[in-house]
Each structure stands twice: as structure tokens, then as C-alpha cells.
Amino acid sequence: MSNKEGFQRFHKNWTQVANRLFFKVSAWIIYVIAIVCHFLKLKYDSQKNKVEERKYNRLWSKIIVSIKILLIGSQYLVFFVLTMAIYIHFRLVDSNKAQNFVMGLFVQGIDVCALWRLVVFLHFKKDRRFVMNAVNEMLQITSIIEQKFGIIYNCHLVLVAVYACKLWLLYTMLESFLDKSYFLLFNFLYWVLLEFCFVGYFIYQILLLNWLESIVTYLHGFIEDHRDRLDVESHYQRKLFLLFKLHLRINSLHTCINDNLTWFSTYIFLMIFTSIFNMELFIECSLYGEDELENKIYIITDGCLGPMLIPILSVLILGMCTDRFRNAELNLQQQIVIIHSLYLKKPNSRVLIKKILDNEHTSLIIYQKLEPLQNGLLLGTTCDRQFAFDYILTIILTALSLVQYTIAGDEPINECVTHK
């Protein structure tokens, strides 16, 4: 049985059908939300298997934009009150009582800047063309792998489980926003738009893992099929060279996405301040709150649990994906080395083919060393699981330091009362 026949047989497995359905449903949900909310102005052409710019009716576009402006501008009175409160606190409060307020104000400033960039990303023509080109490249790569080599769909249940926890925390937090008297709409929009962009990035990460795992699986089958043969057929040689070029194409796509979404990864990192501030409230409420245990649990869940854990889970997901990229690339390197040695042992292989394969093998290994597949955060820092653990440790230690500073002021701590 050939390698391609094995893939076709594997595709009939019910788990493959379920995993493939997961990707399709996720992509269509994101696509429908983008259409309804008038984001990016793209449409999918199923016949060409590509996305193109959508031309909306001008009147309809103006109505949508007006609604969006009204949603944010409708709380102008709240913005005025917030500005006055900032002025009063900075003029009249100079003790440790202002700590939580200043920290909260700093977090709000980051959220407003992030919200502005998210709105620009979802509406600006330059960003729209970047998304269109990136999505079309993903569709083409997926189509080539599926037709030429066979693709194995795997939704990576551990990653999906972590992301499902994150979504549940987000839902709980957004629901609690609506019940608060000081509810600000731009906070709600910030979390919703950030998660909309993150889920698209998350699906891309899993798809990228599927590409790499499918290539590694094909190469493993290639080695098994040609281990005892005297020569490699020209058909398989062409597919092998195509696979090398495809891997370089995948690397180029990932580099392009990382370069264009540097601002997005930066804001994910800056969510550390949101997590620190809410972890401080969590510790103070848990240890020093005067409420009963049942009330504490409700207040913590309703108030600070979501903003505390969502940034941590976001960085953890990206770190787990980076580690999986490394493992896949390591397996790919091993398969390429085996194929290279396999060709050298073939007595009937042509010298030209050996030289081409040697050059492809060398360039691919060098490219993997110089431009490895990974997720970066602030200032090009690699986001892996080790970084995620350091990120969590930093949040915990900083929050404990803030709690210590509050205790040193000999002021009563009523965090649970103030966050009801």
C-alpha cells in the first residue's frame, strides 16, 4: 500500500472527520462574525478557494460605522466622570490608598490603547490586505498538502481544553460586567475584540501544527517505502523537492504573520498588568476579606478571577504551541537526515539528484536554525512554556509585593466589600 493510499484510508477514520469538522466550524464561525460585525470586509469564494475584498453598500456601511461610534460614544458622561475622578485622586490622594486606583488607571490606559489598535486592525485597508493574503496562503498550503501528500487533522485536545477554560472565564467576566453600576462599554469591547482576534490566531496555530505533523508523517512513510529499493522514482523525487519548498513557504508565512502582528503579541504580554492587579485583589480578598467563605467565592469569581487568569492562559497557550513547533521541527530534521543518508546509499541515484538534495537539505537545516517556528512576544522574546512559567511567577511575586505594600500602610483591607 502506498503512502497516499494510507492517508486516504486514514481520512475515513471518524476522529479525522471530527477534527476536520472542528476546523471547518471554527473557520465559519469566525467568518460569519466578521461579516455580521462588518470586520475586514472579506468574502470567501468557494470555487476559487480564496478570500477577496467585499464591496458593501455605502449606505449600509455608514449605518454600521455609525452604530459602532454610538456604542462607544454613548458613555461620554462616564468618560467625563472618570476624568474628574482621576483629577481628584491625583490632587487629593498621596498615600497608599491611591495604589489600587493608580494601578487600575494604568491598566485602563493599556486597554484603551489596545482597543484602538484592534479597531484599526479590523477596519484598516492595509491590515485587511495582510489578512486576505495570509488567509489565501493558508488555504493554498492546506490544499497542496491535502492533494499532494495527504493531511492529518488533529485539533490537539489539550490546547482546546485550555482554550475552553479561557472562554468560560471570559464568559463569566463579561456577564459580570453587565451587572456592575460602573460598567464601561469600552472594557466590554476590548475583551470581545481581543478574543475574536485571538481565536483566529489560535486556529492558525493548530493548523500550522497539522501541516508540520502531516509532512513528518509523509516523510516517515517515504523512508519506509524506499528503504529496500535500489532507486527512487522521479515522481517521488519531484514530490520531495516540492515538500522542501513547501516547508520554506510555511516558514515565510509564519515570519510574515509574526512581523505584522507584533502589536498583538505585545498587548498580550502587557496584559500582565491586568493579571497582577486582579491577583492582588484576589489575595487580599481571600486572606483579609471579612465576608463569609461562600460570599468570597462568589465575589472572586464575579470580580477578579477572569481578568487574573485569562492573560496567563493566553500566554500559556502560545507557549505550548511553540514547544509543539519545536518538537515537530526536530522530527522533521531527523527525517530529512535519514532521507539524505538514504539517497547517498542508493547506487543507482543520479549525481545531479544527490547534489540537489544535498543543497535542499543544507539550506533547510540552516533556515530552521536561523528562522525557527516560534511565537514571539515583547521585543522578540520567545514565548514557550518556560517563558509562560516565568510569566506566571512574575505575576505572583509582583502581586504579593503589592499586597505587602498595602499591609505596610496599616489601612483596613476591604477588597471584598468594595468589589461586590
Side-chain angles (χ1 to χ4, degrees), residues 117-176:
R117 187 62 185 89
L118 288 166
V119 171
V120 170
F121 173 74
L122 295 172
H123 297 85
F124 196 49
K125 189 174 183 178
K126 180 181 177 181
D127 291 313
R128 178 166 67 248
R129 288 185 174 175
F130 154 69
V131 173
M132 181 181 68
N133 293 331
V135 171
N136 285 334
E137 184 71 359
M138 293 177 202
L139 292 172
Q140 290 179 16
I141 291 175
T142 303
S143 178
I144 291 173
I145 294 177
E146 194 164 19
Q147 293 175 8
K148 301 293 185 179
F149 309 103
I151 189 168
I152 300 175
Y153 288 100
N154 183 5
C155 64
H156 290 267
L157 290 178
V158 175
L159 290 174
V160 173
V162 175
Y163 185 74
C165 293
K166 181 172 176 276
L167 278 184
W168 176 80
L169 289 169
L170 179 67
Y171 171 76
T172 305
M173 180 184 66
L174 295 179
E175 190 179 33
S176 67

Side-chain angles (χ1 to χ4, degrees), residues 94-108:
D94 56 359
S95 65
N96 64 318
K97 292 181 180 180
Q99 172 185 299
N100 286 345
F101 176 80
V102 173
M103 189 71 178
L105 178 63
F106 182 67
V107 171
Q108 287 291 341

Side-chain angles (χ1 to χ4, degrees), residues 224-241:
E224 293 298 323
D225 289 343
H226 293 80
R227 191 180 298 275
D228 299 324
R229 295 187 183 183
L230 296 177
D231 194 9
V232 179
E233 297 178 7
S234 59
H235 170 69
Y236 287 103
Q237 291 173 359
R238 289 194 298 269
K239 293 184 71 173
L240 197 59
F241 295 148

Side-chain angles (χ1 to χ4, degrees), residues 271-289:
M271 290 171 71
I272 188 174
F273 296 105
T274 302
S275 188
I276 290 171
F277 175 61
N278 285 277
M279 182 167 286
E280 179 202 359
L281 301 181
F282 169 77
I283 295 172
E284 291 177 355
C285 184
S286 301
L287 300 180
Y288 302 102

Side-chain angles (χ1 to χ4, degrees), residues 255-285:
T255 301
C256 176
I257 291 176
N258 279 344
D259 291 343
N260 283 275
L261 294 183
T262 302
W263 62 270
F264 183 67
S265 58
T266 299
Y267 282 122
I268 291 178
F269 175 83
L270 292 179
M271 290 171 71
I272 188 174
F273 296 105
T274 302
S275 188
I276 290 171
F277 175 61
N278 285 277
M279 182 167 286
E280 179 202 359
L281 301 181
F282 169 77
I283 295 172
E284 291 177 355
C285 184

Side-chain angles (χ1 to χ4, degrees), residues 195-382:
E195 196 57 36
F196 174 75
C197 293
F198 187 87
V199 67
Y201 193 62
F202 174 66
I203 296 299
Y204 157 71
Q205 299 271 309
I206 300 181
L207 184 61
L208 177 56
L209 283 170
N210 285 191
W211 293 342
L212 296 175
E213 291 169 353
S214 299
I215 291 175
V216 170
T217 303
Y218 175 81
L219 290 178
H220 178 74
F222 178 89
I223 294 170
E224 293 298 323
D225 289 343
H226 293 80
R227 191 180 298 275
D228 299 324
R229 295 187 183 183
L230 296 177
D231 194 9
V232 179
E233 297 178 7
S234 59
H235 170 69
Y236 287 103
Q237 291 173 359
R238 289 194 298 269
K239 293 184 71 173
L240 197 59
F241 295 148
L242 175 62
L243 189 143
F244 289 151
K245 294 178 181 178
L246 191 62
H247 181 264
L248 294 177
R249 191 172 171 181
I250 291 172
N251 273 16
S252 299
L253 172 64
H254 189 69
T255 301
C256 176
I257 291 176
N258 279 344
D259 291 343
N260 283 275
L261 294 183
T262 302
W263 62 270
F264 183 67
S265 58
T266 299
Y267 282 122
I268 291 178
F269 175 83
L270 292 179
M271 290 171 71
I272 188 174
F273 296 105
T274 302
S275 188
I276 290 171
F277 175 61
N278 285 277
M279 182 167 286
E280 179 202 359
L281 301 181
F282 169 77
I283 295 172
E284 291 177 355
C285 184
S286 301
L287 300 180
Y288 302 102
E290 300 176 355
D291 295 70
E292 297 293 331
L293 179 61
E294 184 178 353
N295 290 337
K296 282 185 179 182
I297 294 175
Y298 172 76
I299 294 168
I300 289 172
T301 304
D302 183 67
C304 59
L305 190 63
M308 178 182 71
L309 294 180
I310 288 175
I312 293 175
L313 293 179
S314 297
V315 173
L316 182 61
I317 288 172
L318 295 181
M320 293 170 68
C321 289
T322 296
D323 285 349
R324 282 169 165 76
F325 294 157
R326 286 175 178 171
N327 292 334
E329 285 211 306
L330 181 60
N331 291 332
L332 181 59
Q333 287 180 14
Q334 292 173 349
Q335 301 293 340
I336 292 172
V337 170
I338 294 173
I339 291 175
H340 183 249
S341 61
L342 192 66
Y343 259 87
L344 294 178
K345 293 178 182 179
K346 299 295 182 184
N348 297 331
S349 295
R350 287 176 292 179
V351 177
L352 179 61
I353 297 298
K354 289 183 178 180
K355 288 183 178 180
I356 294 175
L357 182 63
D358 185 62
N359 292 334
E360 293 285 353
H361 162 260
T362 304
S363 62
L364 189 59
I365 296 298
I366 293 175
Y367 197 89
Q368 286 181 334
K369 296 294 183 183
L370 296 178
E371 295 287 343
L373 289 173
Q374 59 188 17
N375 293 314
L377 288 180
L378 188 65
L379 300 177
T381 304
T382 300

